[in-house]
């Protein structure tokens, strides 16, 4: 019997594992893909207190090693559901059988939101990407576009502008969610062009992306841009349907949980981007991990 099972090895989950181990609890992390979560694909992190600058990969690896060194175990399996038993213990169903524990922390983060336009799926991997850090190197000295106006889009555009000949930033409004400081830094780059109040309305090319059609939302004017790569960075969405029978979700699918990381089911806690919250940042994910783990440790007794 594990004390605490943590679902998800992103910043929230790994932070929870560190706190659970330091509280003397047996902690098992179940991860469907690979450790690190969303931050592993971020080129540079410059707003984690105490660390001036670090790559997302190094940050995630450091966190993973810290949790592993403290004795947290990790298994790469997909969780398909959670059952709360009559004695208060939990059964976690996975694609590789069941795991038993006293308390569960759901820290599943969020996944990339697709644009939802025709041929998006077909051209993913052939010019359409959701990860500038992973795929950016394929576009050295080429023209690319980034779609979105949040921190991810602005940081991705900054990263790509270091080696692509031209970077278009296409955003549906003329104001940004991204930090002002980052937007100003990007505006100063000569090979970056902002196309605002605009949406990507078509993907062009046969087997490979060769361009996009962009439509100005205010004027209706359409134009075609010749590009080799389109990086879609229009936010995330949660992936919590497997837990809908054990915890309440809001209308967007986020687990309802406040700063105390409690859900409506005793012994089931939630941490990080998968829960309802106002600020989704590395710092708040790490903080949630600590709060959820200490609450879960208290539940275990
Ligand atoms: P985000 O902040 O939710 O921004 C998504 C952007 O995509 C917004 O500009 C939004 O436009 C646009 N958008 C949404 N749906 C769209 C659609 N269907 N078509 C076109 N545009 C669409 O997402 P994010 O940038 O991925 O960031 C997620 C969270 O992680 C945020 O809290 C962010 O601050 C954080 N983050 C932090 C860092 C960092 O601090 N270093 C780095 C990356 C991410 P509107 O503005 O018009 O809604």
């Amino acid at each position: 019997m594990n004390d605490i099972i943590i679902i998800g090895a992103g910043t929230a989950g790994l932070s929870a594992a560190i706190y659970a181990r330091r509280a003397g609890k047996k902690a098992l992390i179940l991860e469907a893909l690979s450790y690190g979560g969303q931050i592993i694909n971020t080129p540079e992190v410059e707003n984690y207190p105490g660390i001036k600058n670090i790559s997302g990969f190094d940050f995630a690896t450091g966190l993973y090693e810290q949790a592993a060194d403290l004795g947290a175990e990790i298994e790469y399996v997909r969780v398909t559901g959670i059952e709360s038993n009559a004695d208060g213990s939990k059964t976690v169903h996975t694609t590789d059988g069941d795991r038993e524990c006293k308390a569960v922390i759901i820290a599943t983060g969020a996944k990339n939101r697709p644009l939802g336009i025709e041929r998006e799926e077909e051209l993913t991997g052939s010019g359409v990407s959701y990860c500038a850090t992973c795929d950016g190197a394929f576009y050295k000295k080429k023209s690319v576009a980034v779609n979105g106006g949040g921190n991810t889009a602005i940081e991705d555009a900054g990263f790509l502008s270091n080696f692509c000949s031209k970077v278009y930033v296409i955003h549906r409004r003329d104001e940004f969610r991204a930090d002002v400081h980052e937007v100003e830094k990007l505006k100063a780059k000569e090979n970056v062009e902002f196309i605002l109040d605009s949406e990507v309305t078509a993907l062009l090319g046969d087997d490979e992306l060769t361009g996009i059609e962009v439509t100005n939302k205010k004027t209706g004017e359409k134009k075609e841009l010749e590009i080799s790569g389109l990086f879609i960075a229009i936010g995330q969405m949660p992936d919590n349907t497997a837990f809908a029978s054990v915890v309440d979700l809001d209308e967007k699918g986020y687990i309802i949980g406040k700063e105390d990381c409690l859900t409506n089911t005793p012994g089931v806690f939630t941490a990080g981007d998968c829960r309802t919250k106002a600020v989704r940042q590395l710092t708040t994910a790490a903080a949630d991990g600590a709060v959820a783990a200490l609450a879960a440790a208290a539940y275990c007794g």
Side-chain angles (χ1 to χ4, degrees):
M1 168 80 87
N2 295 284
D3 288 318
I4 304 172
I5 285 183
I6 298 159
I7 306 172
T11 301
L14 291 171
S15 302
I18 290 168
Y19 274 79
R21 288 301 300 142
R22 286 175 59 90
K25 300 299 173 190
K26 187 168 158 47
L28 171 65
I29 306 167
L30 302 178
E31 165 61 53
L33 298 169
S34 52
Y35 74 76
Q38 293 170 66
I39 201 63
I40 207 157
N41 295 325
T42 299
E44 278 186 308
V45 179
E46 291 184 343
N47 60 357
Y48 196 85
I51 304 175
K52 274 172 84 172
N53 186 300
I54 189 169
S55 74
F57 180 82
D58 286 348
F59 179 87
T61 302
L63 203 53
Y64 169 75
E65 287 174 356
Q66 199 177 354
D69 287 353
L70 282 164
E73 286 176 39
I74 185 160
E75 276 186 51
Y76 292 97
V77 290
R78 184 170 288 280
V79 172
T80 53
I82 302 171
E83 237 172 282
S84 193
N85 305 314
D87 64 356
S89 70
K90 314 292 170 208
T91 302
V92 178
H93 304 298
T94 83
T95 44
D96 182 43
D98 292 348
R99 308 286 184 278
E100 305 296 329
C101 62
K102 294 177 185 166
V104 177
I105 298 172
I106 305 172
T108 46
K111 60 182 183 184
N112 294 320
R113 176 180 291 127
L115 203 49
I117 59 170
E118 238 175 89
R119 307 190 57 222
E120 182 175 357
E121 230 178 291
E122 174 197 333
L123 289 171
T124 296
S126 301
V128 173
S129 169
Y130 301 84
C131 178
T133 323
C134 323
D135 301 331
F138 298 124
Y139 301 94
K140 274 187 188 142
K141 299 195 174 135
K142 294 185 175 167
S143 291
V144 297
V146 177
N147 190 196
N151 276 316
T152 304
I154 298 305
E155 286 182 11
D156 284 358
F159 171 68
L160 293 164
S161 70
N162 294 330
F163 50 84
C164 292
S165 54
K166 176 91 184 180
V167 179
Y168 297 99
V169 177
I170 299 154
H171 177 38
R172 66 182 178 184
R173 292 189 296 143
D174 63 356
E175 284 178 348
F176 295 88
R177 276 176 204 275
D179 299 348
V180 176
H181 173 71
E182 294 297 326
V183 177
E184 292 307 319
K185 249 173 49 182
L186 193 63
K187 280 184 178 164
K189 297 211 168 190
E190 279 183 359
N191 61 340
V192 175
E193 183 178 332
F194 285 82
I195 302 180
L196 303 181
D197 295 318
S198 297
E199 286 177 324
V200 178
T201 40
L203 303 175
L204 312 175
D206 296 329
D207 298 337
E208 294 270 332
L209 186 82
T210 55
I212 51 174
E213 177 194 77
V214 176
T215 304
N216 186 300
K217 291 179 69 183
K218 287 190 173 157
T219 64
E221 186 199 341
K222 291 182 190 297
K223 62 177 171 185
E224 288 186 7
L225 302 177
E226 251 182 57
I227 54 161
S228 310
L230 171 66
F231 291 87
I232 298 170
I234 59 167
Q236 278 83 39
M237 51 191 206
D239 191 8
N240 292 323
T241 42
F243 314 119
S245 63
V246 76
V247 290
D248 288 342
L249 308 182
D250 76 357
E251 69 291 347
K252 289 183 180 159
Y254 290 99
I255 297 168
I256 297 177
K258 298 190 189 137
E259 298 307 312
D260 57 13
C261 296
L262 303 181
T263 70
N264 56 306
T265 300
V268 180
F269 305 86
T270 180
D273 285 5
C274 65
R275 78 164 174 89
T276 50
K277 56 161 60 190
V279 181
R280 293 194 169 85
Q281 291 280 306
L282 215 47
T283 44
T284 59
D288 272 11
V291 172
L294 294 178
Y299 180 85
C300 291

